[in-house]
Amino acid sequence: MANAMLLITVLLSFLILPFSAVALTQDFCVANLSRSDTPAGYPCKALVSADDFYYNGLADAGNTNNIFKATFTPATVSQFPGVNGLGISAARVDIGVGGVVPLHTHPAATELIFVTQGTIVAAFISSDSNTVYTKTLYKGDIMVFPQGLFHYQYNIGASPAVLLVAFSGPNPGLQITVLALFANNLPSNIVQKVSFLDDAQVQKYKSMFNGTA
Amino acid sequence: MANAMLLITVLLSFLILPFSAVALTQDFCVANLSRSDTPAGYPCKALVSADDFYYNGLADAGNTNNIFKATFTPATVSQFPGVNGLGISAARVDIGVGGVVPLHTHPAATELIFVTQGTIVAAFISSDSNTVYTKTLYKGDIMVFPQGLFHYQYNIGASPAVLLVAFSGPNPGLQITVLALFANNLPSNIVQKVSFLDDAQVQKYKSMFNGTA
Amino acid sequence: MANAMLLITVLLSFLILPFSAVALTQDFCVANLSRSDTPAGYPCKALVSADDFYYNGLADAGNTNNIFKATFTPATVSQFPGVNGLGISAARVDIGVGGVVPLHTHPAATELIFVTQGTIVAAFISSDSNTVYTKTLYKGDIMVFPQGLFHYQYNIGASPAVLLVAFSGPNPGLQITVLALFANNLPSNIVQKVSFLDDAQVQKYKSMFNGTA
Amino acid sequence: MANAMLLITVLLSFLILPFSAVALTQDFCVANLSRSDTPAGYPCKALVSADDFYYNGLADAGNTNNIFKATFTPATVSQFPGVNGLGISAARVDIGVGGVVPLHTHPAATELIFVTQGTIVAAFISSDSNTVYTKTLYKGDIMVFPQGLFHYQYNIGASPAVLLVAFSGPNPGLQITVLALFANNLPSNIVQKVSFLDDAQVQKYKSMFNGTA
Amino acid sequence: MANAMLLITVLLSFLILPFSAVALTQDFCVANLSRSDTPAGYPCKALVSADDFYYNGLADAGNTNNIFKATFTPATVSQFPGVNGLGISAARVDIGVGGVVPLHTHPAATELIFVTQGTIVAAFISSDSNTVYTKTLYKGDIMVFPQGLFHYQYNIGASPAVLLVAFSGPNPGLQITVLALFANNLPSNIVQKVSFLDDAQVQKYKSMFNGTA
Amino acid sequence: MANAMLLITVLLSFLILPFSAVALTQDFCVANLSRSDTPAGYPCKALVSADDFYYNGLADAGNTNNIFKATFTPATVSQFPGVNGLGISAARVDIGVGGVVPLHTHPAATELIFVTQGTIVAAFISSDSNTVYTKTLYKGDIMVFPQGLFHYQYNIGASPAVLLVAFSGPNPGLQITVLALFANNLPSNIVQKVSFLDDAQVQKYKSMFNGTA
């Protein structure tokens, strides 16, 4: 009994003193989204629970009733603050029959996809030689799209396709060429100048993507 | 016609001279696995095709007929050299009914899982306070396990579970506690010393995991 | 005299033994371009001279007699191996009267320009909201274009414009949208699918930029 | 005299204008521990003195009167805020006669030890093949333990051993296997499931390390 | 008409729902200089305009009427907050006839210079062998000075020289040897001790650079 | 018995198939010093043993019979290839009575010292304001010197001082001001120009440090 007490005393002193005194505060850094971002990510939230490392927003199919017949559902730091500072994030892409994720880049991350449903064509284009690296992907296949390079995916099957997506950073960015050029107030004559498009094509695009000017 | 010829000439000179002259050689760096690794990854392969960025080795379920009733099938740089230098890689985990991915760490990457089949419990343990962050995950859920921290997953459902896994690096490492301690020639008395295990338990483990000494 | 001899002896022993023994081999790592690249850059060249850290290929105006009336002259690692591993590189852009550097990205670096001649408009487009950040720049002005985002520059003056360019990496990449889509063998129907362009426009582009298929 | 005044004037203008105008604010970034951490470390303290870069908490031997007969005394960012952002920190380990630093990892740093007193055995275990790299170390020896890998040290001498420790980051973390599994409220049946331990062993551990549940 | 309405509806739903919902907040991170710096740079400013990415403070020649006949005009994060987090910054150096930028280092960045006017000698010194890498540079030449190494530049022409400078980081630091040793309160006897200078020389320096003690 | 055989079979299949199949090749990357360095460090050695992670070259005092009465004994990647790629290295500094480690920088690492013997003064100088941060250090004290900044240490005690040194990188570099300026062939008139030293002082230094020209 005295022994047990002694053990408890020793243990308490041990647990409190030698190793527990190590206030190692950054096993992780769940984003406090209400604070200003920094170049390395958001400041860390003070109180954290298991729910911060979990997200269920990718469970259901996104709505593909839009011009692309496709939807990108992100689980990046804004939706899933647990990935802050951890060099990774996720997304789900649903591509309806005939749908397409048009030419785009992620300025801040490499993309890796898992095809979990359907059949797609996916490709990226190198910057050094404009070479197109293209593959037909079936359920179970994976493919990687190097950071910052143009890429696209489209459904070639008779049923919806689903991609689970991982990014090599918590905030990959998504820059879709036609939206960058047309879904804003960039004047038509400048669009023409920097893209070599005909005026009629620009007007059509502006109308398609709700652009002004 | 002369105009067209002129245009072609100008274009050729343009395409060859001003921008095409930019020999920007590292849009990507597919691993040449026959060369020595470096701290940043493998030297780049010279000739590359779309197949280098694609992998189909995760399409099928792994064999779970083993002591863990679970299998880890990697798509890291050794199997999928296209991810070299890109800060990402993948894997598939199959967990049979009653199976478990026992306590382990990835020394060199954060892990993010997509549950695509089944129901599991997953958890990681913080280093600062030994807090267990645990969640029950259903099909469609995702969870993140911060780099280097102990974690585990086990199947609590009545059917096999499948996890698609992304890592925040091309070569995450996998250190399973019971294999690190017992599936090698570490002498039993040293195992006891550094783990506080009883001799009988160590012998049992050594036998379970095929260890020697 | 004995003193002087002693001093020399001490110095020699000092110079050879204590500090000179420090074989610190990486003040810099000039690229050996004949060896395979790695994810962190080229292996280091063994014999190095001051010429490796110097480049005069940006001294003269580039030829702007092309469809863009503009030329990009790089001093990245391929031309200027001294920048290997140093997180920086350079270029010169000449934009003739009426010329344009069309919509493009650098997948692997931020760009900073110094306008040393002429008057231009320069802009980049954010990925989060497709916002256009645009400025008219005069001689002496500088502007920064964040990594991976679409940007463009065009001459609005009555004389040629010259930009000196610095990149935040030794191998920034250059991906020009119209060349990525049209100066290769990407089939026209796929271009249409991923860009929403009309067939006529695609054919015109293919012809302009020497594309096939 | 006029000359001296002129010199002073010139110097003042010089010191104030050309070079002193360079408000280069980050030679260092001493942690402001009262602010939220970020993924790159703590925000910088405004007023700094030489004391911020100095620490005397490792001068004295720690108390080894505990179950491990060993103590880890950290000088990481929490105790020594001057190392914030500088990629390094320190610690002292005292190991009594017969003592052990049991199997553990540092999730966020490589460890390098200087043996300044005593004789120990130190080892780490690779993740790829569960190979044990083990050395007997004497006073004056150094050894490195790669980031994230299991390692341990124990005293084999007749007198206390002292290790001075450097880490490759300001906040290395410390995850001791037996504390991660037993010094918390992780239910015994789950411990058994993920560690393959017998129930009796788990109960004994729980009692040793003050665990609940 | 109904069609057009439908299109607009679809587009709005598209623009709002699938892709616009991506709150990707870090295409860039303009420094909020009123907030504390962090090891990775300043927290991001909330409201940003094109002006944040532009700077005109390098357009005019600096005043070289000082002891060095040279001036360094920075466009680093303090003056040009748009470069925060982007791995690059700029400066302008004016060197009058006979002027010199004396021996100095940038602790936190590699430097790349464009000579836009005049003729200079520039050199850096390696740390491993004290080798001097020296070049005479003419208008149009560029040179790179690896991070942290001693370097200097001086005008050898008959007219002022101008250098446009890029740094591989937003906050390179500038440590000028003679100012570090003499333009402060470092006691003369300590200066002598750590520099091996004669007392008379130290006094002269102290006076030249306005040092005390 | 059949059971045991089954277990062995299962185990072998398990050990060989599911987890052991993970060829994770970079727990560490011991330098192959006979190969060219890269910007991230040396290529990895193929065959590795515990000896690669151990070094005993810092056990004995260095020879301080030189002009500085001090010696720097490195355990950086050239001497201790196990630290390659691991973000850390070590050294030992012996400072005799009256000795000094003169003004110097490490271009590529922060330095952290443990004073294990003697009493010293140590200081570093900030680049932004030339502020001297100075401390008297006793046995057991530690101090950190931020990357790239000028610093020095000198013995103020009556007995030799010993510093154990850790660096935040495997190859920190060491640039000693007086050796960089004088222990080479830099012509005296240029030394004067870039350092503002008197000719007599330069000649004296050249002679002291064995310089030519």
Side-chain angles (χ1 to χ4, degrees):
Chain A
M1 183 69 179
N3 237 5
M5 284 304 288
L6 178 65
L7 182 63
I8 287 169
T9 308
V10 166
L11 274 167
L12 284 177
S13 72
F14 158 68
L15 287 170
I16 292 162
L17 290 178
F19 292 89
S20 297
V22 188
L24 300 158
T25 58
Q26 199 174 77
D27 287 338
F28 41 73
C29 177
V30 177
N32 180 342
L33 295 172
S34 70
R35 297 280 306 281
S36 299
D37 206 355
T38 77
Y42 288 90
C44 314
K45 203 172 140 175
L47 295 178
V48 166
S49 77
D51 286 345
D52 290 304
F53 302 98
Y54 150 87
Y55 189 62
N56 69 359
L58 306 188
D60 299 320
N63 183 351
T64 59
N65 187 20
N66 57 55
I67 201 169
F68 299 148
K69 297 178 186 158
T71 302
F72 174 83
T73 308
T76 56
V77 69
S78 302
Q79 297 81 33
F80 186 19
V83 296
N84 189 48
L86 292 180
I88 204 160
S89 62
R92 171 190 178 130
V93 172
D94 291 274
I95 315 179
V97 175
V100 63
V101 183
L103 192 76
H104 67 287
T105 66
H106 303 288
T110 285
E111 173 178 348
L112 187 151
I113 60 171
F114 303 87
V115 180
T116 58
Q117 208 177 293
T119 304
I120 66 168
V121 166
F124 70 87
I125 303 170
S126 75
S127 84
D128 58 351
S129 59
N130 302 312
T131 301
V132 183
Y133 293 88
T134 187
K135 286 294 291 182
T136 299
L137 301 175
Y138 302 92
K139 183 178 172 180
D141 290 350
I142 67 175
M143 187 168 173
V144 68
F145 305 89
Q147 179 166 344
L149 296 184
F150 279 127
H151 58 288
Y152 56 81
Q153 295 103 357
Y154 57 89
N155 190 340
I156 58 165
S159 61
V162 179
L163 317 181
L164 295 181
V165 180
F167 293 109
S168 68
N171 203 351
L174 168 58
Q175 189 153 45
I176 300 175
T177 310
V178 288
L179 299 185
L181 274 174
F182 304 109
N184 52 26
N185 62 354
L186 190 58
S188 298
N189 64 322
I190 295 177
V191 174
Q192 285 180 251
K193 183 153 201 78
V194 304
S195 70
F196 288 69
L197 282 168
D198 296 341
D199 182 54
Q201 185 81 60
V202 173
Q203 297 312 324
K204 183 174 161 193
Y205 265 133
K206 280 272 183 192
S207 158
M208 275 173 87
F209 297 108
N210 224 22
T212 57
Chain B
M1 183 68 177
N3 236 4
M5 284 302 289
L6 178 64
L7 182 61
I8 286 169
T9 308
V10 166
L11 273 168
L12 283 178
S13 72
F14 159 68
L15 287 170
I16 292 162
L17 291 177
F19 290 90
S20 297
V22 188
L24 299 159
T25 59
Q26 200 176 75
D27 287 339
F28 42 73
C29 176
V30 178
N32 181 342
L33 295 173
S34 70
R35 296 280 307 281
S36 298
D37 205 356
T38 76
Y42 287 91
C44 314
K45 204 173 140 173
L47 295 178
V48 166
S49 77
D51 285 345
D52 290 304
F53 301 99
Y54 150 87
Y55 189 61
N56 69 359
L58 306 187
D60 298 322
N63 182 351
T64 58
N65 186 19
N66 57 55
I67 200 169
F68 300 149
K69 298 179 188 159
T71 302
F72 175 83
T73 308
T76 55
V77 70
S78 302
Q79 298 82 32
F80 187 19
V83 296
N84 189 49
L86 293 180
I88 204 161
S89 63
R92 170 189 177 130
V93 172
D94 291 273
I95 314 179
V97 176
V100 63
V101 183
L103 193 74
H104 67 286
T105 66
H106 303 288
T110 286
E111 174 178 349
L112 187 151
I113 60 171
F114 302 88
V115 179
T116 59
Q117 210 178 293
T119 304
I120 65 168
V121 166
F124 70 87
I125 303 171
S126 74
S127 83
D128 59 350
S129 59
N130 302 312
T131 302
V132 183
Y133 293 88
T134 188
K135 285 295 290 182
T136 298
L137 301 176
Y138 302 92
K139 183 179 173 180
D141 289 350
I142 67 176
M143 187 166 172
V144 69
F145 306 88
Q147 179 166 345
L149 296 184
F150 279 127
H151 58 288
Y152 57 80
Q153 295 103 358
Y154 57 89
N155 190 340
I156 58 165
S159 61
V162 179
L163 317 181
L164 296 180
V165 180
F167 293 109
S168 67
N171 203 351
L174 167 59
Q175 190 153 43
I176 299 175
T177 309
V178 287
L179 298 186
L181 273 175
F182 304 107
N184 52 26
N185 62 354
L186 192 57
S188 298
N189 64 321
I190 296 177
V191 174
Q192 284 179 253
K193 182 153 201 80
V194 304
S195 71
F196 288 70
L197 282 169
D198 295 341
D199 182 54
Q201 185 80 60
V202 173
Q203 297 312 324
K204 184 174 160 192
Y205 266 133
K206 280 272 182 193
S207 159
M208 276 173 87
F209 299 109
N210 224 22
T212 58
Chain C
M1 183 68 177
N3 236 4
M5 284 303 289
L6 178 66
L7 181 62
I8 288 170
T9 308
V10 166
L11 273 167
L12 284 176
S13 72
F14 157 69
L15 288 169
I16 292 162
L17 291 177
F19 291 90
S20 298
V22 188
L24 300 159
T25 59
Q26 198 175 76
D27 287 338
F28 40 74
C29 177
V30 177
N32 181 342
L33 295 173
S34 70
R35 297 280 307 281
S36 298
D37 206 357
T38 77
Y42 289 90
C44 314
K45 203 173 141 176
L47 295 178
V48 166
S49 77
D51 287 345
D52 290 304
F53 301 98
Y54 150 88
Y55 189 62
N56 68 359
L58 306 188
D60 299 321
N63 183 351
T64 58
N65 187 18
N66 58 54
I67 201 169
F68 300 147
K69 298 180 186 158
T71 302
F72 175 82
T73 308
T76 55
V77 70
S78 302
Q79 298 81 33
F80 186 20
V83 297
N84 189 49
L86 293 180
I88 204 161
S89 63
R92 171 190 176 130
V93 172
D94 291 274
I95 315 179
V97 175
V100 62
V101 182
L103 192 75
H104 67 286
T105 65
H106 303 288
T110 286
E111 173 179 349
L112 186 151
I113 60 170
F114 302 87
V115 179
T116 59
Q117 209 177 293
T119 304
I120 66 168
V121 166
F124 70 87
I125 303 171
S126 74
S127 84
D128 58 350
S129 58
N130 302 311
T131 301
V132 184
Y133 293 88
T134 188
K135 285 295 291 182
T136 299
L137 301 176
Y138 302 92
K139 183 180 171 178
D141 290 350
I142 67 175
M143 186 165 172
V144 68
F145 305 89
Q147 179 166 344
L149 296 184
F150 279 128
H151 58 289
Y152 57 80
Q153 296 103 357
Y154 56 89
N155 190 340
I156 58 166
S159 61
V162 179
L163 317 182
L164 296 180
V165 180
F167 293 109
S168 67
N171 203 352
L174 168 59
Q175 189 152 43
I176 300 174
T177 310
V178 288
L179 298 185
L181 274 175
F182 305 109
N184 52 25
N185 62 355
L186 191 57
S188 298
N189 64 322
I190 296 177
V191 174
Q192 286 180 252
K193 182 152 201 81
V194 303
S195 71
F196 288 70
L197 281 169
D198 295 341
D199 181 54
Q201 185 79 61
V202 172
Q203 296 312 324
K204 184 174 161 192
Y205 266 133
K206 280 272 182 192
S207 157
M208 274 174 87
F209 297 109
N210 223 22
T212 56
Chain D
M1 183 68 178
N3 237 4
M5 285 303 289
L6 179 63
L7 182 62
I8 287 170
T9 308
V10 166
L11 274 168
L12 284 177
S13 72
F14 159 68
L15 287 170
I16 291 163
L17 290 178
F19 291 89
S20 298
V22 188
L24 300 158
T25 58
Q26 200 176 74
D27 287 338
F28 41 74
C29 176
V30 178
N32 180 342
L33 295 172
S34 70
R35 296 279 308 280
S36 299
D37 205 356
T38 76
Y42 288 90
C44 315
K45 205 172 139 174
L47 295 178
V48 166
S49 77
D51 286 345
D52 290 304
F53 302 98
Y54 150 87
Y55 189 61
N56 68 359
L58 307 187
D60 298 321
N63 182 352
T64 58
N65 186 20
N66 56 55
I67 201 169
F68 300 148
K69 298 179 187 159
T71 303
F72 175 83
T73 309
T76 55
V77 70
S78 302
Q79 298 81 33
F80 186 19
V83 296
N84 189 49
L86 292 180
I88 204 160
S89 62
R92 170 189 177 131
V93 171
D94 291 274
I95 315 179
V97 176
V100 62
V101 183
L103 192 75
H104 66 286
T105 66
H106 303 288
T110 286
E111 174 178 349
L112 186 152
I113 60 171
F114 303 87
V115 180
T116 60
Q117 209 176 293
T119 304
I120 65 167
V121 166
F124 69 88
I125 303 171
S126 74
S127 83
D128 59 350
S129 58
N130 302 312
T131 302
V132 183
Y133 293 88
T134 188
K135 286 294 291 181
T136 299
L137 302 176
Y138 302 91
K139 183 179 172 179
D141 290 349
I142 67 176
M143 187 167 172
V144 69
F145 306 89
Q147 178 166 345
L149 297 184
F150 278 127
H151 58 287
Y152 57 80
Q153 294 103 359
Y154 58 89
N155 190 340
I156 58 165
S159 60
V162 179
L163 317 180
L164 296 181
V165 180
F167 293 109
S168 68
N171 203 351
L174 168 59
Q175 190 153 45
I176 299 175
T177 310
V178 288
L179 299 186
L181 274 175
F182 304 109
N184 52 26
N185 62 355
L186 191 57
S188 298
N189 64 321
I190 296 176
V191 174
Q192 285 180 251
K193 184 156 200 76
V194 303
S195 71
F196 288 69
L197 282 169
D198 295 341
D199 182 52
Q201 185 80 61
V202 172
Q203 297 312 323
K204 185 176 160 190
Y205 266 135
K206 280 272 182 193
S207 159
M208 275 175 87
F209 299 109
N210 224 21
T212 57
Chain E
M1 185 68 177
N3 236 4
M5 283 304 289
L6 178 64
L7 181 62
I8 287 170
T9 308
V10 166
L11 273 167
L12 284 178
S13 73
F14 158 68
L15 288 170
I16 290 162
L17 290 178
F19 291 90
S20 298
V22 188
L24 300 158
T25 59
Q26 199 175 76
D27 287 338
F28 41 73
C29 176
V30 178
N32 180 343
L33 295 172
S34 70
R35 297 280 306 281
S36 298
D37 206 355
T38 77
Y42 288 91
C44 314
K45 203 173 141 174
L47 295 177
V48 166
S49 77
D51 285 345
D52 289 304
F53 301 98
Y54 149 87
Y55 189 62
N56 68 359
L58 306 188
D60 298 321
N63 182 351
T64 59
N65 186 19
N66 57 55
I67 200 170
F68 299 148
K69 298 179 188 160
T71 302
F72 175 82
T73 309
T76 55
V77 69
S78 302
Q79 298 81 33
F80 186 19
V83 297
N84 189 49
L86 293 180
I88 203 161
S89 63
R92 171 190 177 131
V93 172
D94 291 274
I95 315 178
V97 176
V100 62
V101 183
L103 192 75
H104 67 286
T105 66
H106 303 288
T110 285
E111 174 179 349
L112 186 151
I113 61 171
F114 303 88
V115 180
T116 59
Q117 208 176 292
T119 304
I120 65 168
V121 166
F124 70 87
I125 303 170
S126 75
S127 83
D128 58 350
S129 58
N130 302 312
T131 301
V132 183
Y133 293 88
T134 187
K135 286 295 289 182
T136 299
L137 302 175
Y138 303 91
K139 183 179 173 179
D141 290 350
I142 68 176
M143 187 166 172
V144 68
F145 305 89
Q147 179 166 345
L149 296 184
F150 278 127
H151 58 288
Y152 57 80
Q153 295 104 358
Y154 57 88
N155 190 340
I156 60 166
S159 61
V162 179
L163 317 181
L164 296 180
V165 181
F167 293 109
S168 68
N171 203 352
L174 168 59
Q175 189 152 45
I176 300 174
T177 310
V178 288
L179 299 185
L181 274 175
F182 305 108
N184 52 25
N185 62 354
L186 190 57
S188 298
N189 64 323
I190 295 176
V191 174
Q192 285 179 251
K193 183 154 201 77
V194 303
S195 71
F196 288 70
L197 282 169
D198 295 340
D199 182 54
Q201 185 80 61
V202 172
Q203 297 311 325
K204 185 176 159 190
Y205 266 134
K206 280 271 183 193
S207 158
M208 275 174 86
F209 298 108
N210 223 21
T212 57
Chain F
M1 183 69 178
N3 237 4
M5 285 303 290
L6 178 64
L7 181 62
I8 287 169
T9 308
V10 166
L11 273 167
L12 284 177
S13 72
F14 158 68
L15 287 170
I16 291 163
L17 291 178
F19 291 88
S20 297
V22 188
L24 300 159
T25 59
Q26 199 175 75
D27 287 338
F28 41 74
C29 177
V30 177
N32 181 343
L33 295 172
S34 70
R35 297 281 306 282
S36 299
D37 206 355
T38 76
Y42 288 90
C44 314
K45 204 172 140 175
L47 294 179
V48 165
S49 77
D51 286 345
D52 290 304
F53 302 98
Y54 150 86
Y55 189 62
N56 68 359
L58 306 188
D60 298 320
N63 183 350
T64 59
N65 187 19
N66 57 54
I67 202 169
F68 300 149
K69 298 179 186 158
T71 303
F72 175 83
T73 308
T76 55
V77 71
S78 302
Q79 298 81 32
F80 186 19
V83 297
N84 189 49
L86 293 180
I88 204 160
S89 62
R92 172 191 175 128
V93 172
D94 291 274
I95 314 179
V97 176
V100 63
V101 183
L103 192 75
H104 67 287
T105 66
H106 304 288
T110 285
E111 173 179 349
L112 186 151
I113 61 171
F114 302 87
V115 180
T116 59
Q117 208 177 294
T119 305
I120 65 167
V121 166
F124 69 87
I125 304 170
S126 74
S127 84
D128 58 350
S129 59
N130 302 313
T131 301
V132 183
Y133 293 89
T134 188
K135 286 295 292 180
T136 299
L137 302 175
Y138 302 92
K139 183 179 171 179
D141 289 350
I142 67 175
M143 186 166 173
V144 68
F145 305 89
Q147 179 166 343
L149 297 184
F150 279 128
H151 58 289
Y152 56 81
Q153 295 103 358
Y154 56 89
N155 190 341
I156 59 166
S159 61
V162 178
L163 317 181
L164 295 180
V165 180
F167 293 109
S168 67
N171 203 351
L174 168 59
Q175 190 153 44
I176 300 175
T177 309
V178 288
L179 298 185
L181 274 175
F182 304 109
N184 52 26
N185 62 354
L186 191 58
S188 298
N189 64 322
I190 295 177
V191 174
Q192 286 180 251
K193 183 154 201 78
V194 304
S195 71
F196 288 70
L197 282 168
D198 295 341
D199 182 52
Q201 185 80 60
V202 172
Q203 297 312 323
K204 184 175 160 191
Y205 266 134
K206 281 271 182 193
S207 158
M208 275 174 86
F209 298 108
N210 222 21
T212 57

